[in-house]
Amino acid sequence: KAGVTQTPRYLIKTRGQQVTLSCSPISGHRSVSWYQQTPGQGLQFLFEYFSETQRNKGNFPGRFSGRQFSNSRSEMNVSTLELGDSALYLCASRRHGRSYEQYFGPGTRLTVT
Amino acid sequence: GQQLNQSPQSMFIQEGEDVSMNCTSSSIFNTWLWYKQDPGEGPVLLIALYKAGELTSNGRLTAQFGITRKDSFLNISASIPSDVGIYFCAGPILGGNYKLTFGKGTLLTVNP
């Protein structure tokens, strides 16, 4: 079974630009969560989507948004990029149900200059 | 909030040694997850624990769900160079549906 895939793996943007990251979950997994990982703050939850609906949201500004498509694929968007947005963005999928087990993709390394 | 404190922050050991690390919280958790992350990659789920007192193994890895439900332990036996990486504990935030909170991680270095 293929794992979680994320594209692109690496991205360099300049301040003020916007960026869209993509995530394809494990086949059969309908829940997708996004996390931001930085050396200082560690892994922080951004949001979770299930059935094309945002179910949970972390403490991030409105510049961070996401969506999920009917095939469970998800995208996250960051507008008006700031230097502090440089991070590894991780997507994780979970099988629907009571399982808390989340499976992560390799991440997208975003560098904002 | 429900913070997870991992210790030690880093470990430097010789190949073949056993390793022990732990994760504690002031809040109760009903699930503990242990992940390993290699540089430049996403975390990989190693072990999931669902019951207080539960002891679960995955090869050379053994994890335990503390009986107070406020801690968990991960042991690695007979370490090998590929065990190098950052080990994270994680658990679902109470009332947060399936939102996970993560510890800051334990960086393990294995000297061949």
Side-chain angles (χ1 to χ4, degrees):
Chain A
K1 199 183 236 188
V4 177
T5 58
Q6 292 187 245
T7 56
R9 290 292 310 274
Y10 303 92
L11 207 48
I12 300 175
K13 291 284 189 178
T14 36
R15 272 184 303 175
Q17 288 186 315
Q18 74 162 14
V19 66
T20 299
L21 312 181
S22 181
C23 170
S24 292
I26 292 171
S27 177
H29 286 197
R30 295 165 61 191
S31 166
V32 173
S33 295
W34 288 89
Y35 292 83
Q36 181 195 65
Q37 186 177 30
T38 58
Q41 298 299 318
L43 273 153
Q44 292 186 288
F45 173 81
L46 280 158
F47 27 65
E48 179 193 15
Y49 285 86
F50 173 72
S51 287
E52 304 175 62
T53 303
Q54 188 180 90
R55 296 298 181 96
N56 263 311
K57 191 176 190 309
N59 296 323
F60 280 82
R63 299 185 297 106
F64 292 80
S65 63
R67 59 177 177 167
Q68 186 180 34
F69 303 94
S70 58
N71 62 358
S72 295
R73 191 177 69 84
S74 178
E75 289 180 347
M76 69 162 279
N77 184 78
V78 187
S79 62
T80 320
L81 284 165
E82 300 177 0
L83 295 180
D85 297 333
S86 294
L88 181 66
Y89 289 90
L90 293 159
C91 164
S93 74
R94 180 177 67 82
R95 186 168 53 87
H96 181 57
R98 290 190 57 78
S99 171
Y100 292 102
E101 297 168 25
Q102 296 186 13
Y103 297 86
F104 284 84
T108 294
R109 171 70 64 186
L110 172 65
T111 302
V112 182
T113 62
Chain B
Q2 286 181 280
Q3 294 192 336
L4 295 179
N5 302 304
Q6 282 190 253
S7 65
Q9 282 187 316
S10 62
M11 303 179 75
F12 187 94
I13 61 170
Q14 295 295 122
E15 183 177 357
E17 289 184 356
D18 296 343
V19 172
S20 187
M21 59 190 79
N22 68 67
C23 188
T24 61
S25 174
S26 58
S27 304
I28 287 174
F29 280 79
N30 57 20
T31 298
W32 289 95
L33 305 172
W34 283 94
Y35 287 87
K36 180 193 176 212
Q37 186 175 26
D38 291 331
E41 298 295 329
V44 173
L45 181 63
L46 299 173
I47 293 178
L49 300 161
Y50 289 98
K51 288 183 186 176
E54 180 182 358
L55 193 70
T56 298
S57 294
N58 178 5
R60 293 177 297 104
L61 277 61
T62 301
Q64 183 162 23
F65 193 139
I67 56 173
T68 65
R69 296 171 62 191
K70 293 183 178 181
D71 55 11
S72 180
F73 307 88
L74 177 69
N75 296 311
I76 305 173
S77 63
S79 60
I80 58 178
S82 63
D83 290 334
V84 164
I86 304 177
Y87 292 80
F88 292 98
C89 61
I93 295 173
L94 205 61
N97 287 329
Y98 295 93
K99 183 163 66 172
L100 293 180
T101 184
F102 284 80
K104 296 291 188 188
T106 292
L107 172 63
L108 178 63
T109 304
V110 180
N111 190 32

